[in-house]
Amino acid sequence: LTFFQIRDPRHTAETAVGAFQKLDLPDGSVAQLNTDTAIETNFSAAERRVRVVRGEVFFKVTKDPVRPFIVTAGPVAVHAIGTAFNVRRRETAVEVLVAEGRVRVADATKGQSLLAPVDSGTEPPLLVAGERAVVAVNTSASASVPALATVVKVTAPEVQRALAWQERRLEFDSSPLAEVVREFNRYNRRQ
C-alpha cells in the first residue's frame, strides 16, 4: 500500500495492476485506489470533484456542506457531503456501494437522479449505508448513456467482502468460479 498526500487541488493518480494507493486529499478526505485504477481530482472553493477514469476507489469524505464532494465515473455522478462509499467503474456498468452515510446517484450530464423515487416527495432519492447501486451503461451509443440504477440491500458481511481489497484480500461466498477467476485476473498481469 502506497501512501501519498495531495496538496495540489488538481492532481492525477493511478495504480498499476496489483498495486494499491491511499491518498489524503486537500480537504482531509481520503481516497483508496484499488488495482489498475486512475483518478483525477479538481478541488475549488465551490466544490470538490474526483473523476474515476478507470478502476475502483473507496472514498472517506470529510463533511463540508458548502462544498459538495462529487465523484464522476463515466456518465454517473455520485454526490456526497460526508460519508464513506466505494465506486467501481466497469466497461458496461458503474457500481456504488455505501458503507456509511448516504449519497445521491445521478446522470453526470443531465443531473437527473438514477435512483427510482421511493415516494412522492420533492427530495431526490438517496442511496444509504448498506445499499449497492449498479448503473448499466449503454456504450453502443455515440456517448455513454446511464440507465436507471438497480439497487439492492447488502448485509454487513457482504459490505466487508466487497471492501476486503483494502486489506489486500479477496473474499468470496457462493460465487461462480468464472467470477472468482475474473477478480483474480484484475490483480495479476499473468491471467
Side-chain angles (χ1 to χ4, degrees):
L1 182 66
T2 310
F3 175 76
F4 289 97
Q5 185 168 10
I6 298 175
R7 288 185 168 75
D8 184 2
R10 287 180 176 267
H11 183 80
T12 302
E14 75 180 285
T15 56
V17 172
F20 302 86
Q21 187 173 2
K22 180 182 175 189
L23 301 172
D24 280 340
L25 301 174
D27 68 332
S29 297
V30 175
Q32 293 182 359
L33 283 65
N34 199 350
T35 182
D36 193 24
T37 296
I39 65 168
E40 297 171 351
T41 64
N42 186 3
F43 284 48
S44 71
E47 65 185 11
R48 304 167 289 170
R49 284 196 172 267
V50 178
R51 183 169 83 91
V52 178
V53 178
R54 71 175 185 276
E56 182 173 20
V57 185
F58 180 79
F59 297 95
K60 180 79 172 164
V61 180
T62 299
K63 292 182 181 181
D64 186 347
V66 179
R67 291 182 354 167
F69 192 96
I70 303 164
V71 176
T72 57
V76 177
V78 181
H79 300 252
I81 292 176
T83 189
F85 62 98
N86 196 73
V87 176
R88 183 171 177 188
R89 183 175 180 179
R90 298 177 183 233
E91 194 171 310
T92 58
V94 174
E95 295 177 21
V96 180
L97 172 66
V98 181
E100 296 174 18
R102 52 195 183 162
V103 298
R104 185 172 160 251
V105 180
D107 182 308
T109 306
K110 299 175 185 170
Q112 297 170 331
S113 178
L114 296 174
L115 302 174
V118 284
D119 56 35
S120 59
T122 57
E123 293 294 315
L126 299 172
L127 194 67
V128 299
E131 290 183 335
R132 170 187 280 137
V134 178
V135 180
V137 177
N138 179 359
T139 56
S140 64
S142 61
S144 297
V145 178
L148 206 59
T150 302
V151 176
V152 295
K153 296 222 180 272
V154 289
T155 64
E158 289 171 321
V159 172
Q160 267 188 309
R161 270 193 298 279
L163 300 177
W165 63 265
Q166 296 172 346
E167 298 172 11
R168 293 186 170 216
R169 289 190 339 261
L170 296 176
E171 292 185 13
F172 303 96
D173 183 25
S174 304
S175 301
L177 181 59
E179 180 182 325
V180 173
V181 169
R182 258 192 315 276
E183 281 302 300
F184 271 96
N185 284 341
R186 285 178 64 204
Y187 296 87
N188 296 289
R189 292 201 184 283
R190 185 173 185 193
Q191 302 293 292

